[in-house]
Amino acid sequence: ALAGDGPLSQAMLNPRGKAQKLPDVFCNLDFIVIFVLFGFVSSQGTSFFGYLSNVPTAFSGLNPDVYGALAFNGNTWSRIAYGVAMDALYAWSGPKAAIGGVLFIHLSYCFFFGVYFVAGFASASFNAFLLYISQVVGFAAYGGSNPIVSAHVKAVFAENRIGLVMGMFYTIIAFMNLFFSNVFGPANSTGDPSLYVPGDFRRPWTLAVLCAFGS
């Protein structure tokens, strides 16, 4: 049946023209990329939302309203912008666009968490503009990773496995977020839940930068 020309047989073929069994889905580099980059790394962005409102209390130059708006809009509008860009690039260069998109998201996360890692060891007067910029870059990568990982999955997995892989992707993020939020959440050295200091965030931001650069 797989050798036929019908629509069902074509749907059972991956882009390389070979039947894709379950072991082929999980035991390959493409799935590992999704698991590591969009599981370990992206879950750090998900965890960030849990203490997002606490960060401006630790840095004197941050405006809480602006800070929160940058994260929300970066996460929201990047899904559209990155999706349009990925469609255009895919039409131009094919599956290579997905590889470039994955690399771009990875570098964006490295910048995002790299800045915050440094900030965690700095004073409350750390450069607010740099934090704002990294906030936009980081949450744009967080939101924009959705169309990019979708393009990557469609480029390298058989059509009959796309639902499984995407389901695994979102399940991985959920479990990773639950674990990291409970084990590597920020401290609260002041004892006041409405007031934090930069050092309180060293634990989550150190983990985040290790995940980003280590992957």
Side-chain angles (χ1 to χ4, degrees):
L2 289 176
D5 295 324
L8 179 59
S9 64
Q10 292 300 314
M12 296 293 288
L13 301 178
N14 65 14
R16 298 178 181 85
K18 299 178 181 178
Q20 195 171 40
K21 300 178 181 179
L22 280 178
D24 298 326
V25 174
F26 300 112
C27 301
N28 66 64
L29 183 60
D30 296 306
F31 187 79
I32 294 174
V33 167
I34 294 174
F35 183 86
V36 173
L37 180 57
F38 296 104
F40 279 89
V41 183
S42 187
S43 64
Q44 303 305 312
T46 307
S47 299
F48 204 114
F49 274 111
Y51 55 83
L52 182 69
S53 61
N54 302 129
V55 176
T57 69
F59 297 94
S60 57
L62 292 180
N63 182 307
D65 295 330
V66 173
Y67 187 78
L70 289 176
F72 174 80
N73 285 284
N75 175 43
T76 302
W77 296 108
S78 64
R79 297 170 187 262
I80 299 174
Y82 284 35
V84 171
M86 183 53 57
D87 280 351
L89 289 172
Y90 208 95
W92 175 57
S93 63
K96 292 180 180 179
I99 298 174
V102 168
L103 178 61
F104 178 77
I105 292 296
H106 192 177
L107 293 176
S108 296
Y109 274 131
C110 286
F111 173 75
F112 175 43
F113 293 127
V115 169
Y116 276 94
F117 172 73
V118 174
F121 290 88
S123 67
S125 60
F126 187 79
N127 191 296
F129 181 74
L130 186 56
L131 290 176
Y132 285 144
I133 292 296
S134 63
Q135 186 81 336
V136 173
V137 172
F139 280 98
Y142 178 79
S145 65
N146 289 278
I148 289 176
V149 73
S150 297
H152 178 69
V153 168
K154 291 175 182 177
V156 299
F157 292 99
E159 292 182 10
N160 66 312
R161 300 302 185 196
I162 290 177
L164 172 64
V165 174
M166 292 302 294
M168 289 293 296
F169 160 60
Y170 287 109
T171 302
I172 287 169
I173 287 184
F175 278 104
M176 292 294 181
N177 176 46
L178 180 64
F179 173 75
F180 290 138
S181 296
N182 284 280
V183 179
F184 295 96
N188 184 215
S189 58
T190 67
D192 182 351
S194 64
L195 181 63
Y196 287 74
V197 298
D200 290 337
F201 300 99
R202 289 176 185 171
R203 183 166 52 200
W205 292 345
T206 298
L207 173 66
V209 81
L210 288 175
C211 287
F213 283 90
S215 61

